[in-house]
């Protein structure tokens, strides 16, 4: 097909999501001479509103520079279209004469593409290209964006652990992740030895208890003279409520338009600070959220991640020519391979950490969990062992 | 002199403070064959307690690997010795037969060395080798550790600005710095163009007002559709109290053993969150502290900083042979040069940002301030201009 290809980016940016745009554009230009390639600004919102940037003739060196730049160069959106919104998007696509719509995002994006597919009646190819630092898409071994984010987190905890060897105390680092603990688990990827932090890793896949946490910290301090903790912002208590909601109260907690509890405020920091101050008084303690750094810090863009994100875009162009679907990064036992899977198989599902990636007895990764991380995020820096 | 050289590290670690140890050790071994070189664990505490690691015969490749590793490999301390403590340190030095003591740290460290010099009566050479991410030592153009930290901060704000171009809103990033704003100012070093953040930079050298802040944010949102703010944790209100103290109340604020207000908790985050939620309701806002990342993130070690830190250690070894003093990094108009200055000229003084580094009218860097930053932290990454 020559035709018109629309590309958009949705959800939280990543360090390499622009590579996927560039991979798709270059593949389309190669395989479909004469095709028009438009980037929609701010995801489906740009399609709805007819707000495009024309990528058809943009110079390749310019495109490749955009590819190397973190965050979503086309802009992104948090809009999760319902049926009425999807109808407006479909009208927008029809108006511009689209033959294919490649939407780069997480499981919500795949869901949007499924709704659009059903509504369009086969006239437009809808493609979902994966991205998410949360690494929580089913059908995927891992997702573009995760490796760079994981490298940042691994480097951050390696660095903080070195810092706390020099000046001992308790450190709690809060890492993005509402439902899946992969990114928090990455904190353990670059531990130097048995004394290295993080000593405790709390993920949403395991119920969190403040009592247990305090006991864990005490035991770690006794053993290592310092305690480095990695915790997902989305950890939940045994009743299934998020820790933030449990602490702040269900009636007082902030929620977004979709009813999701807002995890990003300082409530969680404060809760950890207070628990440590009250129950381990006199101990030096610091609680920090890593915030947005993992998803787009310009100094931690992984070349492997960048290449995979680019290849995912190129593969998405092929899926568009085949009528649509979701692009999945799978592992064949030796390398990452790209496969087309049905949109519905990814939509509205969340991939959690496999149970055997976590230890049964302690809040830590199992050997299987560490093996997975070491395959994706092998050690990057040589480090000298401190004298303390 | 052959003799015995003691080396120690004090205060907050940096990404390159180990280079200074290694530079000193290798220079001593070169110039003083047969000399004994001991590293004291945890700063003066190790001297007081006789806790050393012998670096005399350590393999050079091992030492250089330690040099490339962030944080203080010998351990550090927050102890600020008074006269009685200094006497114990002096006894420790005499007991081990020290001829020279090289202490790597900030202005407190220089003060300690001055007290020890006065007490020792000329029998031991006391040297202060500079390090601090705060860049607040007088006599110095800049300090080892600052450039790496500044690169992290510059990269962090460049990345966050790209993130907020994709998903607009208000971002407040809190940066370490009690009295001097250099590190927070570094947030502006890698702005791409006139639209780039940080749009507002608040440093301790200017009185902070919440009213003014809200007005600034409103004006920035109107102009740029997003607002990226860099703020020093040490910003003070017009009455001279730190913002944290003003917010929390002088009677309730936490203090350390020296009476300094604890700046590192979540109080400041919360204060900004609340001010934005109350006075700019409905706007997406995120407040994060960059925390410890700037001072030791393993992915942001500047080669220039590493070399200067190494050279500062080597120069310190020469100063030890000359009887003691403080090592200063100065700028001769073309390059960084090392000079010996009196300990007393650095001790207990704080270098603030020169007044002309800041604009008079807005909370931003002046051309002179930007020129200083661009000399020390030139652009490192090529970035493609986003389409939004």
């Amino acid at each position: 097909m020559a035709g018109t290809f629309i590309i958009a980016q949705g959800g939280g940016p990543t360090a390499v999501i622009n590579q996927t745009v560039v991979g798709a554009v270059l593949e389309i230009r190669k395989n479909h001479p004469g095709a028009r390639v438009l980037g929609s600004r701010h995801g489906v919102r740009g399609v709805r509103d007819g707000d495009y940037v024309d990528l058809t003739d943009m110079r390749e060196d310019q495109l490749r520079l955009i590819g190397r730049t973190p965050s979503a160069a086309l802009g992104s959106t948090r809009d999760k279209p319902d049926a009425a919104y999807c109808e407006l998007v479909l009208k927008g696509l029809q108006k511009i004469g689209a033959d294919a719509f490649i939407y780069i995002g997480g499981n919500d994006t795949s869901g949007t593409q499924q709704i659009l597919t059903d509504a369009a009646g086969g006239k437009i190819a809808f493609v979902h290209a994966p991205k998410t630092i949360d690494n929580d898409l089913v059908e995927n071994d891992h997702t573009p964006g995760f490796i760079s984010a994981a490298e940042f987190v691994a480097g951050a905890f390696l660095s903080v652990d070195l810092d706390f060897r020099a000046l001992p105390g308790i450190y709690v680092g809060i890492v993005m992740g509402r439902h899946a603990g992969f990114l928090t688990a990455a904190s353990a990827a670059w531990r130097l030895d048995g004394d290295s932090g993080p000593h405790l890793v709390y993920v949403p896949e395991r119920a969190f208890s403040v009592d247990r946490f305090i006991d864990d910290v005490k035991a770690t301090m006794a053993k290592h003279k310092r305690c480095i903790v990695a915790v997902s912002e989305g950890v939940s208590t045994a009743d299934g409520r998020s820790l933030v909601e449990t602490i702040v109260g269900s009636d007082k907690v902030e929620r977004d338009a979709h009813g999701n509890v807002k995890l990003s405020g300082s409530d969680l920091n404060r809760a950890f600070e207070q628990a440590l101050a009250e129950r381990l008084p006199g101990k030096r303690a610091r609680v920090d959220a890593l915030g947005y750094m993992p998803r787009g810090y310009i100094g931690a863009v992984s070349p492997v991640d960048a290449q995979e994100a680019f290849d995912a875009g190129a593969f998405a162009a092929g899926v568009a020519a085949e009528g649509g679907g979701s692009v999945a990064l799978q592992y064949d036992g030796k390398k990452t391979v790209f496969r087309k899977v049905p949109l519905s198989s990814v939509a509205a599902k969340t991939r959690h950490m496999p149970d055997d990636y976590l230890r049964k007895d302690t809040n830590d990764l199992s050997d299987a969990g560490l093996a997975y991380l070491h395959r994706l995020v092998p050690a990057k820096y040589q480090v000298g062992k401190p004298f303390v």
Side-chain angles (χ1 to χ4, degrees), chain A residues 142-287:
Chain A
H142 64 281
T143 53
F146 172 67
I147 291 178
S148 295
E151 280 200 1
F152 183 90
V153 172
F157 278 85
L158 165 58
S159 305
V160 162
D161 186 53
L162 289 168
D163 199 300
F164 276 70
R165 285 184 197 238
L167 289 171
I170 302 161
Y171 176 86
V172 178
I174 300 169
V175 183
M176 279 189 172
R178 188 176 290 271
H179 299 297
F182 292 103
L183 190 58
T184 302
S187 61
W190 292 351
R191 286 199 283 228
L192 299 179
D193 55 34
D195 183 47
S196 293
H199 308 98
L200 302 169
V201 181
Y202 300 97
V203 293
E205 285 84 353
R206 290 277 191 274
F208 184 88
S209 137
V210 176
D211 289 339
R212 171 71 190 268
F213 166 73
I214 294 293
D215 288 345
D216 288 347
V217 172
K218 277 185 194 165
T220 305
M221 288 298 283
K223 185 172 176 191
H224 298 283
K225 316 285 185 231
R226 68 187 188 284
C227 180
I228 309 297
V229 181
V231 58
S232 297
E233 62 182 7
V235 286
S236 301
T237 43
D239 61 2
R241 295 192 304 168
S242 67
L243 181 58
V244 173
E245 189 174 347
T246 301
I247 293 162
V248 178
S250 297
D251 49 331
K252 287 189 194 140
V253 77
E254 276 186 78
R255 292 173 192 277
D256 69 13
H258 310 283
N260 294 317
V261 171
K262 189 184 168 198
L263 301 174
S264 60
S266 63
D267 291 325
L268 208 53
N269 299 48
R270 171 165 291 237
F272 278 104
E273 283 171 6
Q274 287 182 343
L276 291 168
E278 282 164 22
R279 301 182 55 180
L280 294 169
K283 295 261 186 256
R284 172 179 178 248
R286 168 101 192 195
V287 181

